[in-house]
Amino acid sequence: MIIAVVQIPMPKRSTADAIKSAKATAPTYQGLATKGLLRKDYLNGDAGGGGIYTWTSRAAAEAWYTPAWKHQMTERFGAEPTVTYYESHVTVDNVAGEVKVREPG
């Protein structure tokens, strides 16, 4: 599993504006379920905006974060996003009450 952290340096938005924007784009990310996106959490804070994305693989993530995507985000938010990839082998899920371990291979 791959976690992609997308950060966009921009002013923090009001909670209402952040929710409105997220709700408007949520259908796009729901549509990526068949392309390997498992989850997206929207970010809004003092350091800017962005998202935490959980993907089935790095290849699936990289297929989304194309130069065209980067250009579109830069145009939309007035700042260039950065994408940082992390492998995730263990997840503590307190909602489900379990620890999920993904062994290699």
Side-chain angles (χ1 to χ4, degrees):
M1 186 176 330
I2 294 294
I3 306 294
V5 178
V6 174
Q7 295 175 285
I8 304 170
M10 56 188 270
K12 182 178 181 178
R13 295 181 280 184
S14 70
T15 299
D17 286 345
I19 290 171
K20 182 180 177 182
S21 176
K23 287 172 70 175
T25 62
T28 297
Y29 298 102
Q30 287 176 309
L32 293 175
T34 60
K35 296 184 179 184
L37 182 65
L38 300 172
R39 162 181 264 133
K40 176 185 180 180
D41 289 291
Y42 289 83
L43 301 177
N44 182 46
D46 294 334
I52 306 292
Y53 300 74
T54 305
W55 295 91
T56 55
S57 68
R58 179 143 180 174
E62 289 177 340
W64 178 249
Y65 306 118
T66 64
W69 169 87
K70 192 173 208 177
H71 177 75
Q72 180 184 14
M73 293 298 107
T74 301
E75 289 290 313
R76 181 183 299 166
F77 296 108
E80 187 173 298
T82 60
V83 181
T84 307
Y85 298 98
Y86 299 91
E87 294 179 1
S88 177
H89 304 289
V90 179
T91 300
V92 174
D93 186 335
N94 288 330
V95 174
E98 62 187 19
V99 175
K100 299 175 185 176
V101 179
R102 288 167 293 285
E103 300 289 344

